[in-house]
Amino acid sequence: MEVHSQVEVHSEVDSADKSVPPQSAKTARSGDPGVRATDRSGSDVHPKGRRARVLLTSVFGPYAQDDEFGSRAINPMELYHNQVTRAQGGFSLRMFHRSWGIMMIQQNISAPCTVLDFPTREDFALELTAHDYDIVGISSIIVNLGKVREMCRMVRELSPKSTIVVGGHVAATPGLEHMIDADHIVRGEGISWMRRYLGEDPEAPIRHPDIVSGLKTRIMGIPLMERKGGTAATIIPSVGCPMGCNFCTTSAFFGGKGKFVNFYETGDQLYDVMCQAESSLGVQTFFVMDENFLLHKKRAIQLLDRMKEGRKAWGMAVFASANAIRQYKVEELVELGVSWIWMGLESPRSKYEKLKGTDSHQLTRELREHGIRVQGSTIIGLEHHTPDNIREEIEYAVGHNTDFHQFMLYTPVPGTPLYQQIASEGRLLEGIDLADIHGQDKFNFRHAAISRDDSKRFLDWAFWRDFERNGPSLYRMCQTMLQGWRRYKNYPDLRVRERFERENAKLRTAYSAALWAAERYFRKVNEDVSRQIHELRREIGKEFGTVSQLVANVAGPVLLWTTRREDQRLAAGVTYEPPTILERRNWTPAAGRA
Ligand code: B12
Ligand code: SF4
């Protein structure tokens, strides 16, 4: 097996039964909106069936730069620094996430399959020429369409016999078949599509891959050590969301209002998947990638029952809408291990169903008091926003004092009801490159009251104001953790005590040092935040005694120095890119023979 320069290679040779002949195509799983938009091969099943060699790849980098393929410096391949903590300088959380869609597909087909994640163009070219791939599957979202076009061109040139399949959210682009040279464009759920295409049973149970949720984490200028079990495992129970908010691409892509695709219907199934991740990855914490995990209460409660039976002190980061959260008592969430919730806080005046009847300020406060970190998500530039009311609305959002806050421009993205509506009103701006329609720069439509340039100014101001008023997210997280610790350290359920003990161990050590550094850092630039951090440090000292103070005094100055150095690096234009990763499955030397 070749090793590309700077490429991390993971390999697993799986003894899938190759003696079974290809089956005829079956109907998709219920709820599967997979659509074949173009089919130049004229066949539903690849002639080689499950013996076909498959390459699944994400689009090429580097990402955090402006280039002709659609990379944008403002749109790095990072969750937090892109959309959440980008104004927090050296305190911004830097982290990458793998392309889970293609990992899921790879795990659920029996054909020999390579996943190439975050390649450079050179890596991609090398892989195409090193092996005879029958199928090249490219995964992308809409902003990266220019890269898909280039990758299709490269496949035609370097591996002309390969069938090109394009999937992921990019498939929602109207007229995509005329923009790229692909054989199949797959809309919606991809596992069942690929299984069908390989002559496998599209309805077979879903096998979950082992996924470490984040990689190359860095904060305050320090890369965090990567050790087994140190990072949460990603679990993907379903895709889509039945709430169907008009702007929501994920919901629209998997069927829209009232629809979604479940990979695991029951809490029992989910429990088994989590046990598997626990034993293979050594984790106790899970990043549950489901747009609205708590909405499915029966499944969540069944999972809780199994966790109690199995004495699991697991922690869980979830996405959930306010209406879904309100179905539970907060103690129930705590017992379920929910330690972090990503919640939409669109606007007090918005009409989204999920927020109806909720005092989101009060809900946020309550969750934090119970040790649940809250990541709010607020949209800038809703229809009712004007230059006169938007500052007040941003203040309202920032006033939630969430641990993290994502801001995003109201953006009609192709494939959504909002896009159709704005298009039919003739309000889409012409000549905007798809690479710039991502919600972190400027409007792509004519807003009744806010200009395109002002949209960026307001968005930037929201990030800045949140940081100015509430301080670094790291500090807010520590605040929530301490509140949770105080409330639950003597809780009757041992699992809950164990989890809080585990999660809060860092408050005594690394976080104490980080807070020492943060307090000093802000003394000159934001006295108020510095005072708040000082107060928290005093409380932590009271709770954990001299150990935390000792660690803070020794390691704090180092962190202060690394944070300032990081600020300088960022000011000098340093950016971060994910590593290229190559993983093979069902791969034997014969399978890979060119
Ligand atoms: C993780 C994630 C990221 C990661 C990227 C990880 C990566 N390696 O690419 C990070 C955090 C970096 C990220 C960044 C961005 N993201 Co993002 N991200 C997600 C998120 C939360 C999860 C994706 C996921 O894994 N889902 C679970 C898997 C199983 O689903 P899936 O990827 O859709 O895959 C399924 C199908 O689509 C299909 N499929 C996928 N690939 C392929 C390939 C083939 C060949 C086939 C046949 C099928 C197929 O099969 C899969 C199984 O059913 C989604 C929201 C969501 N819930 O999906 C947003 C989402 C994909 N992101 C989105 C956006 C807009 C962005 C940003 C532009 C945001 C921004 N402005 O800040 C940036 C772009 C960065 C960049 N330079 O490219 C949008 C995409 C919108 C669109 N229509 O294109 C989404 C849907 C969020 C949203 N609702 O707005 N993102
Ligand atoms: S609740 Fe969230 S995930 Fe569901 S449709 Fe609305 S924005 Fe999308």
Side-chain angles (χ1 to χ4, degrees):
M1 182 191 309
E2 78 291 13
V3 179
H4 303 166
S5 58
Q6 298 213 325
V7 172
E8 293 182 16
V9 179
H10 307 256
S11 178
E12 180 200 337
V13 179
D14 199 300
S15 55
D17 181 3
K18 310 252 168 31
S19 63
V20 188
Q23 307 162 6
S24 58
K26 287 194 175 174
T27 48
R29 256 195 324 282
S30 57
D32 169 17
V35 171
R36 184 163 44 87
T38 49
D39 183 0
R40 294 188 193 163
S41 66
S43 163
D44 279 327
V45 181
H46 191 277
K48 289 195 182 169
R50 63 185 59 184
R51 284 177 297 107
R53 279 179 297 260
V54 183
L55 170 63
L56 296 174
T57 179
S58 51
V59 297
F60 61 83
Y63 309 96
Q65 61 174 30
D66 294 332
D67 70 22
E68 76 269 34
F69 300 112
S71 279
R72 296 289 184 263
I74 187 78
N75 194 23
M77 191 54 86
E78 293 175 83
L79 171 59
Y80 289 93
H81 193 67
N82 184 328
Q83 315 162 40
V84 186
T85 53
R86 74 178 209 202
Q88 300 191 13
F91 289 93
S92 179
L93 179 57
R94 317 298 299 251
M95 183 191 270
F96 302 104
H97 297 83
R98 293 286 309 277
S99 303
W100 299 322
I102 49 178
M103 291 175 81
M104 290 288 286
I105 297 174
Q106 183 192 40
Q107 188 70 15
N108 285 285
I109 56 176
S110 50
C113 178
T114 302
V115 158
L116 183 59
D117 217 352
F118 311 124
T120 59
R121 281 171 81 220
E122 294 70 30
D123 293 324
F124 181 55
L126 210 58
E127 188 58 27
L128 283 177
T129 46
H131 301 287
D132 248 350
Y133 283 108
D134 298 299
I135 300 168
V136 177
I138 303 168
S139 177
S140 176
I141 60 175
I142 294 176
V143 282
N144 294 322
L145 190 146
K147 297 185 181 197
V148 178
R149 183 186 299 123
E150 170 62 4
M151 291 172 92
C152 291
R153 189 198 64 73
M154 288 171 73
V155 178
R156 295 291 188 228
E157 182 187 320
L158 301 173
S159 182
K161 287 192 205 135
S162 303
T163 301
I164 303 178
V165 182
V166 170
H169 287 266
V170 72
T173 315
L176 182 63
E177 58 275 26
H178 308 297
M179 301 174 182
I180 58 171
D181 182 9
D183 299 300
H184 300 273
I185 294 171
V186 179
R187 299 210 177 95
E189 208 287 290
I191 299 172
S192 54
W193 189 92
M194 194 58 92
R195 281 173 162 175
R196 213 176 311 120
Y197 187 56
L198 295 169
E200 301 187 28
D201 179 2
E203 298 187 57
I206 300 290
R207 299 203 306 186
H208 204 290
D210 291 336
I211 306 178
V212 176
S213 73
L215 49 150
K216 304 273 176 212
T217 306
R218 181 183 179 93
I219 191 162
M220 297 176 83
I222 302 264
L224 302 193
M225 253 194 341
E226 292 186 354
R227 58 173 177 83
K228 190 172 178 189
T231 309
T234 297
I235 301 289
I236 307 175
S238 53
V239 285
C241 173
M243 295 303 291
C245 301
N246 65 344
F247 58 84
C248 183
T249 58
T250 335
S251 178
F253 194 60
F254 295 101
K257 205 170 174 71
K259 304 222 175 71
F260 62 100
V261 180
N262 246 352
F263 293 142
Y264 303 102
E265 302 272 351
T266 66
D268 285 349
Q269 289 172 336
L270 220 46
Y271 179 78
D272 293 343
V273 168
M274 290 164 85
C275 284
Q276 173 205 312
E278 180 184 40
S279 76
S280 50
L281 296 173
V283 293
Q284 296 242 281
T285 313
F286 301 87
F287 178 85
V288 184
M289 183 57 255
D290 182 313
E291 285 289 29
N292 209 337
F293 178 69
L294 296 176
L295 198 57
H296 313 281
K297 187 166 180 192
K298 197 167 153 217
R299 184 173 69 184
I301 293 298
Q302 193 179 44
L303 175 63
L304 171 59
D305 290 343
R306 292 296 305 274
M307 283 170 60
K308 282 182 174 166
E309 267 166 43
R311 306 227 166 95
K312 300 295 185 191
W314 291 339
M316 235 180 272
V318 304
F319 295 74
S321 53
N323 65 327
I325 298 169
R326 285 192 0 254
Q327 299 180 94
Y328 303 79
K329 289 205 279 291
V330 71
E331 288 78 10
E332 233 167 8
L333 295 175
V334 169
E335 289 179 9
L336 185 60
V338 174
S339 55
W340 187 93
I341 293 186
W342 184 316
M343 168 172 55
L345 300 170
E346 271 73 38
S347 149
R349 284 190 240 171
S350 68
K351 301 202 170 58
Y352 294 107
E353 215 176 298
K354 59 185 175 180
L355 286 168
K356 258 187 208 154
T358 300
D359 177 346
S360 54
H361 275 251
Q362 200 266 330
L363 179 61
T364 305
R365 203 166 34 247
E366 186 182 0
L367 292 169
R368 293 190 73 204
E369 280 167 7
H370 287 258
I372 299 176
R373 279 145 270 169
V374 177
Q375 168 144 349
S377 178
T378 293
I379 298 181
I380 305 294
L382 288 165
E383 299 286 9
H384 70 270
H385 285 160
T386 66
D388 289 336
N389 69 20
I390 192 146
R391 282 173 200 278
E392 182 196 319
E393 290 248 339
I394 291 171
E395 285 296 350
Y396 179 86
V398 166
H400 283 90
N401 191 12
T402 52
D403 300 81
F404 292 89
H405 212 129
Q406 175 195 37
F407 295 96
M408 204 81 168
L409 286 180
Y410 193 54
T411 305
V413 175
T416 58
L418 178 64
Y419 184 85
Q420 278 169 4
Q421 179 209 321
I422 301 275
S424 70
E425 291 166 2
R427 290 201 288 145
L428 285 176
L429 293 175
E430 286 187 3
I432 308 268
D433 193 324
L434 287 172
D436 295 311
I437 303 179
H438 49 66
Q440 286 301 335
D441 191 27
K442 294 180 181 178
F443 278 153
N444 64 329
F445 73 108
R446 232 181 319 281
H447 189 281
I450 295 173
S451 72
R452 188 165 141 74
D453 285 343
D454 278 348
S455 68
K456 177 167 172 51
R457 270 194 279 278
F458 290 131
L459 177 70
D460 290 348
W461 191 75
F463 280 110
W464 175 84
R465 183 67 185 134
D466 181 54
F467 186 42
E468 189 203 35
R469 194 163 145 186
N470 300 320
S473 289
L474 183 77
Y475 148 66
R476 304 183 224 170
M477 233 174 64
C478 291
Q479 221 179 18
T480 306
M481 289 165 77
L482 181 67
Q483 294 190 75
W485 166 255
R486 285 182 161 162
R487 191 178 280 258
Y488 287 100
K489 64 183 174 188
N490 297 317
Y491 197 67
D493 185 339
L494 174 65
R495 297 176 316 109
V496 172
R497 295 206 303 276
E498 234 181 87
R499 173 168 73 80
F500 276 95
E501 179 64 47
R502 187 178 68 235
E503 287 175 358
N504 285 284
K506 278 195 190 151
L507 270 185
R508 299 185 171 96
T509 53
Y511 290 154
S512 279
L515 289 172
W516 185 99
E519 183 188 334
R520 298 292 185 295
Y521 181 99
F522 284 97
R523 249 182 213 166
K524 281 200 185 124
V525 287
N526 189 333
E527 230 178 284
D528 188 38
V529 163
S530 178
R531 236 190 337 268
Q532 291 176 42
I533 298 174
H534 177 77
E535 186 50 35
L536 177 65
R537 287 190 55 231
R538 222 166 51 85
E539 294 299 316
I540 290 176
K542 268 201 240 158
E543 198 64 37
F544 300 117
T546 43
V547 180
S548 64
Q549 281 154 356
L550 209 67
V551 177
N553 290 338
V554 174
V558 179
L559 284 180
L560 181 59
W561 183 79
T562 56
T563 307
R564 288 191 170 137
R565 189 191 53 176
E566 185 74 354
D567 278 350
Q568 285 163 7
R569 284 164 60 84
L570 297 176
V574 168
T575 54
Y576 297 104
E577 295 290 342
T580 303
I581 295 171
L582 187 140
E583 280 169 333
R584 305 199 193 280
R585 197 169 169 277
N586 301 326
W587 198 262
T588 59
R593 198 175 50 229

